[in-house]
Amino acid sequence: MEKRIFAAIGISVALLWLWAVIAPRLFPELARPKPVSPPAKSVAARPSPTSSANPSPEVAAAPAPPTAPVAASSRIETEVRTDEYIARFSNRGAQLVSFKLTRYLDKSNQPVELVKARPASRTDFPFAIESSNAALNSRINQALYDVNVDGDNAGHVRSIEYRYAADAVSVTKTFKFGQPYLFDVSMAISPALRYRTIIGPGLRTLAPEEHDNRIIITGNGVLQRDGSFSAINREKGDRLRIFDHVDFIGIEDNYFLSVLRPQKADGAVLRRVDFKTSKDDREELYAGVNAAPDGTLVANVFFGPKETKLLDRYGLASALQFGMFGIIARFLLEVLVWINQATKNYGWAIIVLTILIKIVLYPLQHKSIVSMKKMQKLQPKMDAIKNRYKKARTDADQRQKMNVEMMKLYQQEGINPMSGCFPIVLQLPILWGFYGLLSRAIELRGAPFIGWIHDLSDKDPYYVTPILMTITMFIQTWITPQTGDASQRRVFLIMPLVFGFIFKDMPSGLVLYWLVQNVLTIVQQMIMNKWWKDHPAELQAAT
């Protein structure tokens, strides 16, 4: 009995060994590994709780010289879903064909698409490859790559690997996901050649109403080298700019950003080309990172919004430029976000902030009104001095004497003729700070106020607030104590029309700030006018 058992075991082992030897030859398709993700299936990605702010992806190794062709038989699109975006990668060229931000909507209430639309015949989607060999470029950017998707047990994507090999050339592209708006890319081509991968052209497809909008600026290049940030106008400068190294390089608009941050590379470029579609015809920039001499390239990639805290976290804070008075804009944004926690409406938050600014500037503005009142009282004496030198206005010496006499009068009465300008001078940095804030802070993009104002970062569609602002400026100018001659007063009365014309296309949030500021100044001026009328003795005491 035992002999039979041992004989059965021996025969079974022999049969299994024989099957292992001959099966791959009889049924070769059984030995070929199958891809993890079939063409019809989309899987989603989620952020990894253990990922760091600045990941260091593994350096890609150059693929071994191909021994057999590697390619797919049909086009496959793999969808990567997170709470922040929906990305679609195509195995045609192993490129990114769509990147939609689910938390930000365009004018048609669709998720913002950061990959610019282009004709189907083009093969220059993000992560296309460029080299000096045009024929090779065309082949590897149109090839159908073999796809291998790695996901967790919940079906969330962790990485996508694309492989292609033919005619003695092997290409591998790997994308790894984990953090909000940030992922890693590594590439390798064998035999090694000089190439680069690109993102662009430009950023986003502009909506029709955005083409002629002075506020929307899209498609400019951005780069940082050794901690120094630069913005490159897409229409100016050389058509090709080469950089031996960069901290990061990419494309921006007011609210969104796409950048490559090299980990293993050999310099970067910004390239300007004529880009034509059925809806668009303009010059656009591509941003590219060059591969290392061994044919490998590794980089972090950011496609996302210019959220202040997000850019700070990823070391991209320099890309958020608020303009000349950026420090003031950044402070105002922090205060607005804090106030909005209570108001739940950025329009009311702007009004509250305007009142706070008015309170802070009140002492200086009060002193200015006092000075203007005193100058108004001194106007007869000032006119007398001017009349004495009326015939000698063309004489420089006489005019100098008139100015000296006027200054003596100011000193005797304790008046600073420039004090009336101080509040205006102080308001200008705040005004420019608000402009930079409202035109670039994504926190206020699409923020509604009341009624017809659906976006505080966009102009008032019916020009109601610019008209009210102009009217309040007229009232403010009319009730303000006047000094100087009649012609100067007429100039002041023209200024509201000038400001109204300038502000009509400005962000409605900026117009709201200036409107509330005017209303508060009118109230303050009316109270002061009443106070000085009833208490003229106070004029003598306020020196």
Side-chain angles (χ1 to χ4, degrees), residues 48 70 147 164 306 320 325 345 377 520:
S48 171
V70 178
V147 186
Y164 168 76
K306 289 184 175 179
L320 185 57
F325 298 100
N345 183 298
K377 184 179 180 181
L520 294 175

Side-chain angles (χ1 to χ4, degrees), residues 240-279:
L240 178 65
R241 298 193 180 198
I242 302 173
F243 308 94
D244 57 356
H245 69 282
V246 294
D247 301 332
F248 63 79
I249 190 167
I251 313 292
E252 71 161 356
D253 71 3
N254 297 54
Y255 304 109
F256 304 101
L257 181 70
S258 63
V259 298
L260 296 167
R261 189 167 57 189
Q263 301 297 311
K264 181 182 180 182
D266 189 24
V269 300
L270 278 174
R271 181 167 62 88
R272 188 170 81 248
V273 297
D274 293 326
F275 189 83
K276 296 182 180 180
T277 66
S278 59
K279 297 182 180 180

Side-chain angles (χ1 to χ4, degrees), residues 3 7 19 63 72 105 201 228-229 282 333-334 376 401 404 410 427 437 440 443 452 468 509 518 528 534 537:
K3 292 181 179 180
W19 174 258
L105 304 179
S228 177
F229 178 83
R282 66 183 205 159
L333 176 59
E334 295 288 343
Q376 187 179 37
K401 291 180 180 179
V404 170
Y410 293 150
Q427 284 279 23
L437 166 69
R440 291 188 176 271
E443 288 83 352
W452 68 99
L468 292 176
N518 289 344
M528 291 294 294
D534 296 340

Side-chain angles (χ1 to χ4, degrees), residues 440-453:
R440 291 188 176 271
I442 197 168
E443 288 83 352
L444 276 75
R445 177 185 177 274
F449 179 37
I450 55 173
W452 68 99
I453 300 179

Side-chain angles (χ1 to χ4, degrees), residues 19 44 176 178 191 267 269 278 297 305 318 455:
W19 174 258
K176 295 183 179 181
V269 300
S278 59
L297 184 155
S318 57
D455 187 352

